[in-house]
Amino acid sequence: MNVTVSMFGLVDKKSQQDGKSRDGVTMREKKGGALSRVQKLKKRLSHSFGRLSISKEDSDHSNRGAKLPFNGYSDEFLDRLEPNGNIPNEKDCRFDWEHEGVRRQLSVSSDSKLLDEDIREEARVILRPKKPPRPKSEVFLNKQAQDPNRRRTKRFSAFGGDSPFGKSDAYVKLEQLGEGSYATVFKGFSNLTNQVVALKEIRLQEEEGAPFTAIREASLLKDLKHSNIVTLHDIVHTRHTLTFVFEYVHTDLSQYMERHPGGLELHNVRLFLFQLLRGLSYCHKRRVLHRDVKPQNLLISEAGELKLADFGLARAKSVPSHTYSHEVVTLWYRPPDVLLGSTEYSTSLDMWGVGCIYVEMITGIPLFPGVRDTYDQLDKIFRILGTPTEETWQGSTHLPGFNLNKLCLYRPQRLGLAIPRLYDIKDGENMASSLLQLNPDKRLGAEEALRHRYFQSLPKKLYELPDEASVLDVEGVHLYPELRISGKT
């Protein structure tokens, strides 16, 4: 029998004449347009994905009007895909591949580029159904519902997600409170909490970025939660500024003493000193050194609560000990070991400043007001406490700054003789002398100072307070009215 090779199989010559075949599809049928829509699509796909051979059952099945399935689903069924690309859950529309006469030979055809746009679209729908849309967060949907034209812009913030914090429009500047070498402090208002806040605005250099002191202050304050340490509420980061949002405290100890010259009420001195030691003890237990204890960095609330502030020079002291810069602490409150060039210091660095502030609150004037340089400052100290020797302070003469050509030799004297008012305070001289020791190893620590007999008159409940509770919460603890106002008694 003569046979002719067609595109889809072998047919005999007689079948060619009749235009019909039991075993395949003839070229005459192709030209005559008798193929169903499904067969045409299969033929088109064969150009790109290999050959498809159609069996007799398939041809008969087609003649009966049945739809040939693709990927296990009928053509009609695929037209009813849901908008998100999901397939309807109807089991009766699923076909079984095992009972169908379709065999595919997957290969990449060289003429796949010849497919027209209709074939590409049909192939895309059949082979790669559209994925359902990604779900959006409930918060985002609610905001979009309120304002459909709202534009979501990228913001620089230390707080992630959709938090209301970290946005500059959440705070309003009211007035400038002060200005430093790298920051300006404003009084502000928070639209989030409806409270007055302090805004410490740090100017950023485009090439240098944020100052290391600002990064250090932020990293330390976020972990220090204590009633006698200023609270950091928020951080706002823009392209040109880095703003720290602090709780607002209306004055500091320096301004408070200026308004009450000649020395403070002795009860208030005791209460301020206790709170200062309480805050420093909390820091020192966590191995954090403030390194800049001075009246300007001690905030005073209207009720009389004292808070440590400005941790720009603070450092976390690690183990083993590292060396630190000796250019720390304002000159008047800098200890003699640091003035002499020592870089091996610990919590005793802060305690010297506490002793200087304690005496200043009593007298109303700085204890060691050096005016020229470090040797002038050392001279002020040694006039009262004496010039150190190897007998009184071992190792002091080997410090880098110890130079007898620039230092005078003084004999030590009692603090009460230099500061007579200390004699009027029970245990006042002993407290001051314990804090103002030339040898840092002999200086009283913060926790030990809190237990000093100088504080015996304060309620015992103060020692039982949790860290974030104020001493003013204890019954009977409050500031007394200051008697000295504008230099008058």
Side-chain angles (χ1 to χ4, degrees):
M1 181 185 352
N2 296 328
V3 296
T4 303
V5 179
S6 72
M7 188 173 182
F8 293 96
L10 299 176
V11 297
D12 57 21
K13 187 174 182 180
K14 187 173 183 289
S15 297
Q16 279 187 327
Q17 297 173 356
D18 297 337
K20 297 180 181 180
S21 174
R22 294 182 180 180
D23 298 326
V25 180
T26 67
M27 297 299 292
R28 185 179 300 175
E29 284 182 332
K30 171 190 169 187
K31 293 179 181 179
L35 291 174
S36 67
R37 177 174 177 268
V38 176
Q39 289 172 315
K40 288 180 180 180
L41 180 59
K42 282 203 169 240
K43 179 179 179 300
R44 289 177 178 179
L45 291 177
S46 68
H47 287 288
S48 179
F49 301 103
R51 301 189 177 208
L52 297 175
S53 60
I54 304 178
S55 65
K56 178 178 180 298
E57 292 101 2
D58 201 17
S59 179
D60 295 339
H61 191 57
S62 173
N63 294 333
R64 292 194 301 268
K67 300 294 184 180
L68 186 66
F70 294 97
N71 230 13
Y73 297 95
S74 68
D75 175 88
E76 180 184 1
F77 183 67
L78 289 174
D79 289 339
R80 295 189 290 112
L81 285 176
E82 294 179 355
N84 63 358
N86 290 339
I87 297 174
N89 188 20
E90 299 180 22
K91 296 182 179 180
D92 56 342
C93 295
R94 180 80 182 186
F95 283 77
D96 190 355
W97 281 102
E98 295 181 358
H99 296 85
E100 294 301 319
V102 180
R103 298 187 301 276
R104 301 177 61 189
Q105 300 176 8
L106 293 177
S107 63
V108 179
S109 175
S110 60
D111 59 348
S112 60
K113 296 182 180 179
L114 300 178
L115 291 173
D116 54 48
E117 293 300 321
D118 293 336
I119 297 176
R120 290 179 182 274
E121 180 63 20
E122 289 178 302
R124 186 188 69 81
V125 173
I126 295 173
L127 298 178
R128 295 192 302 274
K130 184 172 63 176
K131 294 182 180 179
R134 295 180 61 185
K136 296 179 180 179
S137 67
E138 187 175 342
V139 174
F140 178 73
L141 290 175
N142 290 339
K143 289 186 177 180
Q144 290 290 354
Q146 296 172 3
D147 186 6
N149 298 323
R150 180 177 177 268
R151 182 187 176 195
R152 291 178 60 85
T153 58
K154 179 180 178 182
R155 62 182 174 87
F156 299 94
S157 171
F159 299 83
D162 291 313
S163 169
F165 294 94
K167 299 180 181 179
S168 58
D169 56 0
Y171 307 98
V172 180
K173 293 181 186 178
L174 299 179
E175 60 181 282
Q176 182 172 326
L177 300 177
E179 186 171 4
S181 56
Y182 74 96
T184 305
V185 180
F186 297 91
K187 183 179 181 180
F189 183 81
S190 172
N191 294 324
L192 302 176
T193 60
N194 293 327
Q195 292 180 339
V196 177
V197 294
L199 304 174
K200 185 175 182 179
E201 187 177 271
I202 301 164
R203 297 172 292 276
L204 302 180
Q205 301 296 330
E206 186 173 350
E207 297 179 355
E208 299 178 2
F212 72 93
T213 51
I215 299 172
R216 179 184 293 166
E217 183 174 14
S219 63
L220 290 175
L221 280 176
K222 68 183 180 62
D223 295 326
L224 297 177
K225 305 297 181 184
H226 194 277
S227 64
N228 296 122
I229 298 175
V230 67
T231 302
L232 176 64
H233 288 312
D234 195 4
I235 300 175
V236 179
H237 185 194
T238 65
R239 189 174 300 277
H240 302 291
T241 60
L242 181 66
T243 303
F244 292 166
V245 183
F246 291 102
E247 62 175 315
Y248 177 76
V249 186
H250 84 291
T251 190
D252 59 49
L253 183 59
S254 177
Q255 296 175 348
Y256 187 89
M257 289 190 291
E258 287 178 2
R259 289 200 299 269
H260 307 288
L264 305 181
E265 167 64 39
L266 296 182
H267 170 79
N268 296 342
V269 172
R270 182 178 284 104
L271 193 58
F272 286 150
L273 181 62
F274 186 88
Q275 294 181 83
L276 173 55
L277 291 171
R278 189 168 177 251
L280 280 177
S281 175
Y282 177 86
C283 293
H284 292 171
K285 286 178 181 178
R286 285 151 183 80
R287 306 192 68 79
V288 173
L289 311 181
H290 188 280
R291 303 205 306 173
D292 198 16
V293 176
K294 58 183 180 181
Q296 292 85 347
N297 290 339
L298 303 179
L299 306 181
I300 306 292
S301 70
E302 292 181 339
E305 191 170 27
L306 181 143
K307 293 177 180 289
L308 269 169
D310 199 347
F311 281 72
L313 290 178
R315 284 290 297 271
K317 183 175 176 60
S318 59
V319 178
S321 177
H322 291 285
T323 58
Y324 299 94
S325 169
H326 65 277
E327 296 296 333
V328 294
V329 186
T330 304
L331 199 63
W332 292 356
Y333 308 95
R334 195 177 300 178
D337 49 311
V338 176
L339 290 168
L340 290 172
S342 174
T343 56
E344 295 286 341
Y345 51 77
S346 183
T347 55
S348 59
L349 169 69
D350 293 335
M351 300 312 298
W352 176 272
V354 173
C356 295
I357 292 171
Y358 170 57
V359 175
E360 186 173 347
M361 287 191 293
I362 294 173
T363 63
I365 57 176
L367 179 58
F368 304 120
V371 293
R372 293 193 300 272
D373 53 21
T374 57
Y375 286 101
D376 182 46
Q377 182 69 30
L378 286 169
D379 187 77
K380 295 288 194 301
I381 296 172
F382 294 160
R383 280 179 183 270
I384 297 177
L385 302 179
T387 306
T389 64
E390 284 297 316
E391 288 73 23
T392 59
W393 177 8
Q394 187 176 2
S396 60
T397 59
H398 300 292
L399 292 173
F402 193 90
N403 188 347
L404 287 178
N405 296 326
K406 297 183 178 181
L407 295 173
C408 297
L409 296 177
Y410 299 102
R411 297 185 63 181
Q413 58 177 310
R414 294 188 60 175
L415 275 177
L417 296 176
I419 310 163
R421 199 175 178 205
L422 287 175
Y423 285 137
D424 299 333
I425 306 170
K426 184 180 180 181
D427 299 313
E429 184 189 21
N430 185 270
M431 169 62 86
S433 299
S434 300
L435 294 170
L436 296 172
Q437 288 288 320
L438 293 179
N439 188 345
D441 295 335
K442 295 181 179 180
R443 229 167 275 159
L444 202 63
E447 184 64 26
E448 189 179 0
L450 283 171
R451 307 291 174 177
H452 194 276
R453 57 180 181 270
Y454 170 75
F455 295 114
Q456 283 183 348
S457 60
L458 295 178
K460 302 301 180 184
K461 290 184 178 180
L462 292 177
Y463 297 96
E464 302 172 0
L465 290 174
D467 292 335
E468 298 187 29
S470 171
V471 298
L472 302 178
D473 295 337
V474 177
E475 185 179 357
V477 178
H478 57 84
L479 285 184
Y480 287 2
E482 296 289 349
L483 300 179
R484 295 176 177 80
I485 303 177
S486 301
K488 299 179 181 180
T489 303

